[in-house]
């Protein structure tokens, strides 16, 4: 066979990540505040865009129904198949955007996306400068908030998904100082759990760092820190239970109640001065912006659910076609440069309206499936919360997993039990012998319990841990156990054996 240069034609399928499609994906993950900022910038830069409360059954100023629909949609209606191209929610393998952000090209991976994406790609405009919009990570506070710090710890301390859910909810109710000002009984009532479950969840929060968070008053906050320092004896307990006497300067009375002498009492006061009465202030404030729900959920008389988007978070945009004509967009007398600029702005306006419309449909479709999967929680409380993964929701609504991940970030749902971030309804699980999924966080807690209770002379190996968990009904491989063990910061069997030996256990 002769060797030499030659030209060949090869046909392949690619997904072209146009600037418009990249911007649409960023809009999908953007929070309400980011969307509001972006819309404001678009209105300032595009004279053909207008905002206003135009009813869905009327045309805009241009005579076209360019405004975003606001009709109420039930979960059954939303899950029905056969929607037209213009109504298709946004779906794309967003990981392709991260793999090839510079060139805008990526190989087709997974489900390529809706046919409406092609229409966005044909727009000539830039979409109003979404690239200037900071990414999701960049919009977070430079410092970690207390709720975020606690959220990262709760999963490894909770024993089951229900306890984890309640604990995360309590963490979100803490004030900037780290105190729980909402009565625990109200928390239990709102979530549909008994007081024992609420108290167990509060105990999980109080086990988190920094010590003292989750307290309901100053005495409890200092007591938690005293217990952590192993200084919570009967005398200290009495002192903390009567802090009002200390504030009034009734030292003699306090010493009699605590049954200590002057030296012991002075030592107790020195110990208290080392504690932090407001442990939450070490973190960034979490009250800088109010949480506005994106999705509203209400029960129907027939037992179903009404799911609709919050109109307060949905800007209405219309294209002012009359102004376009007035500026000479359709006039042959206008110069080519003016017509080109107007056509670009018109394409930008149409693209933005379509992008926001598809963003809203994607959020609504995803929220409807979450409500369907977690129906027991909304009806009977957190005791009915089931393990749920992004992949499971993505498969049910025929979308890519990365799409569901972006949709549930910084999106909130309001129901009769309160306002919850969509991501809170996801708890990963593993298979169990009874056919029900078991939360991976519960598995982590069980591994922690087994390693804490192990015999120092017979430290459990990863294989032994896997065998014990399998006996309890969980189908776990040794590698999975090792992954969970490392995730909660538990060392290997050799490391634990060495540590226990040094500690003299």
């Amino acid at each position: 066979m002769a060797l030499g240069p030659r030209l060949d034609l090869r046909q392949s399928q690619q997904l072209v990540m146009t600037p418009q499609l990249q911007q649409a994906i960023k809009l999908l993950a953007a929070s309400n505040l980011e969307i509001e900022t972006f819309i404001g910038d678009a209105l300032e830069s595009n004279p053909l865009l207008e905002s206003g409360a135009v009813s869905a059954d009327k045309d805009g100023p241009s005579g076209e129904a360019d405004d975003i629909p606001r009709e109420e949609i039930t979960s059954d209606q939303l899950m029905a198949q056969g929607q037209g191209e213009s109504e298709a929610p946004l779906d794309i393998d967003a990981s392709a955007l991260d793999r090839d952000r510079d060139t805008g090209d990526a190989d087709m991976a997974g489900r390529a996306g809706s046919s409406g994406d092609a229409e966005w790609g044909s727009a000539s405009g830039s979409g109003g400068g979404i690239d200037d919009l900071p990414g999701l990570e960049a919009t977070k506070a430079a410092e970690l908030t207390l709720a975020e710090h606690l959220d990262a710890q709760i999963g490894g301390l909770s024993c089951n998904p229900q306890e984890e859910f309640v604990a995360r909810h309590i963490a979100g109710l803490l004030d900037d100082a780290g105190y729980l000002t909402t009565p625990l009984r109200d928390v239990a009532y709102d979530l549909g759990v008994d007081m024992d479950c609420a108290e167990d969840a509060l105990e999980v929060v109080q086990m988190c760092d920094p010590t003292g968070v989750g307290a309901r008053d100053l005495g409890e906050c200092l007591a938690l820190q005293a217990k952590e320092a192993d200084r919570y004896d009967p005398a200290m307990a009495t002192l903390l239970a009567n802090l009002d006497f200390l504030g009034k300067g009734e030292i003699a009375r306090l010493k009699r109640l605590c049954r200590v002498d002057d030296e012991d009492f002075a030592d107790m006061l020195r110990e208290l001065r080392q504690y932090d009465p407001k442990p939450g202030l070490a973190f960034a404030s979490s009250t800088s912006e109010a949480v506005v729900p994106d999705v509203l959920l209400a029960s129907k008389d027939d037992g179903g659910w009404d799911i609709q988007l919050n109109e307060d978070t949905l800007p209405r945009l219309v294209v002012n076609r009359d102004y376009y004509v007035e500026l000479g967009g359709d006039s042959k007398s206008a110069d080519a440069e003016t017509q080109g600029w107007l056509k670009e702005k018109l394409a930008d306006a149409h693209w933005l309206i379509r992008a926001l419309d598809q963003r809203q449909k994607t959020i609504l479709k995803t929220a409807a499936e979450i409500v369907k999967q977690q129906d027991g929680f909304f009806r009977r409380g957190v005791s009915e919360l089931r393990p749920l993964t992004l992949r499971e929701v993505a498969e049910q609504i025929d979308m890519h997993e990365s799409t569901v991940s972006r949709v549930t970030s910084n999106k909130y749902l309001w129901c009769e039990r309160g306002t919850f971030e969509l991501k809170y309804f996801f708890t990963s699980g593993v298979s169990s012998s009874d056919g029900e999924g078991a939360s991976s966080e519960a598995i982590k807690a069980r591994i922690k319990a087994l390693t804490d209770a192990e015999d120092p002379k017979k430290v459990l190996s990863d294989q032994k841990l896997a065998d014990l968990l399998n006996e309890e009904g969980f189908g776990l491989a040794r590698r999975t156990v090792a992954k969970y063990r490392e995730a909660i910061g538990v060392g290997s069997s050799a490391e634990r054996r060495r540590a226990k030996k040094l500690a003299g256990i």
Side-chain angles (χ1 to χ4, degrees):
M1 183 176 64
L3 298 177
R6 66 177 185 178
L7 295 176
D8 288 330
L9 293 178
R10 181 170 59 183
Q11 188 176 18
S12 63
Q13 191 177 31
Q14 285 186 326
L15 175 65
V16 178
M17 300 294 289
T18 63
Q20 290 75 28
L21 184 54
Q22 294 183 26
Q23 293 163 3
I25 294 174
K26 290 182 180 180
L27 282 176
L28 189 63
S31 65
N32 292 334
L33 183 61
E34 292 173 328
I35 290 293
E36 183 179 354
T37 301
F38 174 63
I39 293 299
D41 294 341
L43 289 172
E44 291 181 2
S45 62
N46 194 334
L48 302 184
L49 270 178
E50 286 188 352
S51 63
V54 183
S55 61
D57 59 346
K58 295 183 180 181
D59 295 338
S62 63
E64 302 174 3
D66 284 322
D67 52 310
I68 301 172
R70 293 289 191 278
E71 67 273 11
E72 182 179 284
I73 302 178
T74 65
S75 58
D76 293 337
Q77 293 172 333
L78 187 63
M79 300 311 294
Q81 301 296 321
Q83 293 179 329
E85 291 184 0
S86 62
E87 297 179 347
L90 172 63
D91 181 32
I92 192 70
D93 180 0
S95 60
L97 174 62
D98 300 324
R99 290 196 305 266
D100 205 339
R101 189 178 301 274
D102 295 332
T103 63
D105 295 337
D107 293 333
M108 186 75 72
R111 186 174 183 275
S114 66
S115 56
D117 299 337
E119 298 181 21
W120 295 351
S122 63
S124 61
S126 62
I130 186 68
D131 288 332
D132 296 332
L133 188 67
L136 184 60
E137 294 80 5
T139 59
K140 293 185 177 181
E143 299 179 9
L144 200 65
T145 66
L146 177 62
E148 292 169 341
H149 181 68
L150 297 177
D151 191 69
Q153 303 175 64
I154 288 174
L157 299 173
S158 305
C159 296
N160 54 67
Q162 291 76 24
E163 184 179 84
E164 176 186 348
F165 188 90
V166 178
R168 294 187 191 279
H169 183 72
I170 291 176
L173 297 176
L174 302 183
D175 61 16
D176 286 345
Y179 287 84
L180 177 63
T181 57
T182 304
L184 193 60
R185 187 170 298 278
D186 292 348
V187 175
Y189 178 80
D190 291 340
L191 298 181
V193 299
D194 54 30
M195 280 298 295
D196 290 340
C197 180
E199 289 172 355
D200 290 343
L202 178 60
E203 184 177 348
V204 169
V205 175
Q206 293 178 347
M207 291 168 60
C208 295
D209 174 75
T211 305
V213 296
R216 286 158 286 188
D217 53 48
L218 177 61
E220 186 176 17
C221 177
L222 298 178
L224 290 171
Q225 297 178 60
K227 292 176 182 178
E228 178 71 16
D230 197 22
R231 290 297 305 271
Y232 192 71
D233 52 24
M236 181 67 77
T238 303
L239 174 59
L240 294 177
N242 297 276
L243 287 177
D244 52 335
F245 292 154
L246 185 62
K248 296 176 182 178
E250 300 182 11
I251 305 300
R253 184 176 182 181
L254 268 178
K255 286 190 290 186
R256 288 196 303 270
L257 289 174
C258 297
R259 298 182 179 181
V260 294
D261 55 23
D262 293 344
E263 184 179 353
D264 289 340
F265 189 78
D267 183 61
M268 292 167 62
L269 291 182
R270 281 195 298 270
E271 181 71 22
L272 285 184
R273 293 191 185 100
Q274 298 177 12
Y275 299 158
D276 187 355
K278 297 181 179 180
L281 293 183
F283 298 85
S285 174
S286 59
T287 59
S288 56
E289 55 183 76
V291 173
V292 179
D294 301 81
V295 182
L296 305 177
L297 179 67
S299 58
K300 297 170 59 178
D301 294 336
D302 60 3
W305 297 106
D306 278 336
I307 306 173
Q308 60 183 117
L309 297 173
N310 185 1
E311 293 188 359
D312 292 338
T313 66
L314 302 177
R316 285 186 181 274
L317 294 178
V318 293
V319 175
N320 191 337
R321 186 85 185 184
D322 294 338
Y323 192 54
Y324 172 77
V325 174
E326 182 180 344
L327 291 176
D330 292 335
S331 175
K332 295 182 179 180
S333 60
D335 59 90
E337 183 178 355
T338 300
Q339 285 191 342
W341 182 83
L342 288 173
K343 289 180 179 179
E344 180 180 345
K345 292 301 180 182
L346 182 63
D348 285 351
H350 281 293
W351 171 86
L352 180 56
I353 291 173
R354 180 180 297 278
L356 291 174
D357 185 36
Q358 294 198 353
R359 173 185 182 270
Q360 293 158 200
K361 287 182 170 65
T362 307
I363 294 174
L364 193 54
K365 187 172 184 178
T366 303
E369 181 59 28
I370 292 176
V371 172
K372 180 181 177 181
Q373 295 289 341
Q374 300 289 10
D375 182 79
F377 165 78
F378 295 105
R379 295 186 187 279
R380 293 176 290 277
V382 73
S383 60
E384 297 293 329
L385 191 70
R386 60 178 295 269
L388 185 64
T389 62
L390 295 172
R391 181 182 297 276
E392 186 176 354
V393 171
E395 290 175 351
Q396 291 296 324
I397 63 177
D398 194 23
M399 285 187 174
H400 197 274
E401 188 175 348
S402 63
T403 300
V404 178
S405 176
R406 291 180 181 241
V407 167
T408 54
S409 297
N410 281 356
K411 309 297 188 305
Y412 293 85
L413 179 145
W414 178 91
C415 64
E416 295 177 355
R417 299 189 180 279
T419 301
F420 304 93
E421 191 172 4
L422 292 181
K423 71 174 184 179
Y424 277 1
F425 295 103
F426 293 93
T427 55
S428 58
V430 297
S431 61
S432 58
S433 58
D434 59 3
E436 294 291 333
S439 170
S440 62
E441 302 300 343
I443 299 297
K444 293 177 183 178
R446 185 59 184 147
I447 293 174
K448 184 70 166 58
L450 289 172
T451 55
D452 288 345
E454 65 188 353
D455 187 345
K457 298 180 180 179
K458 296 182 179 179
V459 177
L460 301 174
S461 64
D462 289 340
Q463 185 59 55
K464 184 60 177 178
L465 287 171
D467 293 340
L468 292 174
L469 291 170
N470 288 333
E471 291 175 2
E472 296 180 8
F474 304 106
L476 294 173
R478 184 196 62 79
R479 289 185 300 174
T480 305
V481 172
K483 180 184 69 173
Y484 286 152
R485 174 181 56 73
E486 293 171 357
I488 59 177
V490 175
S492 64
S493 58
E495 292 172 339
R496 300 200 306 276
R497 185 181 297 107
R498 189 182 307 111
K500 292 182 178 182
K501 184 177 181 180
L502 292 175
I505 300 178

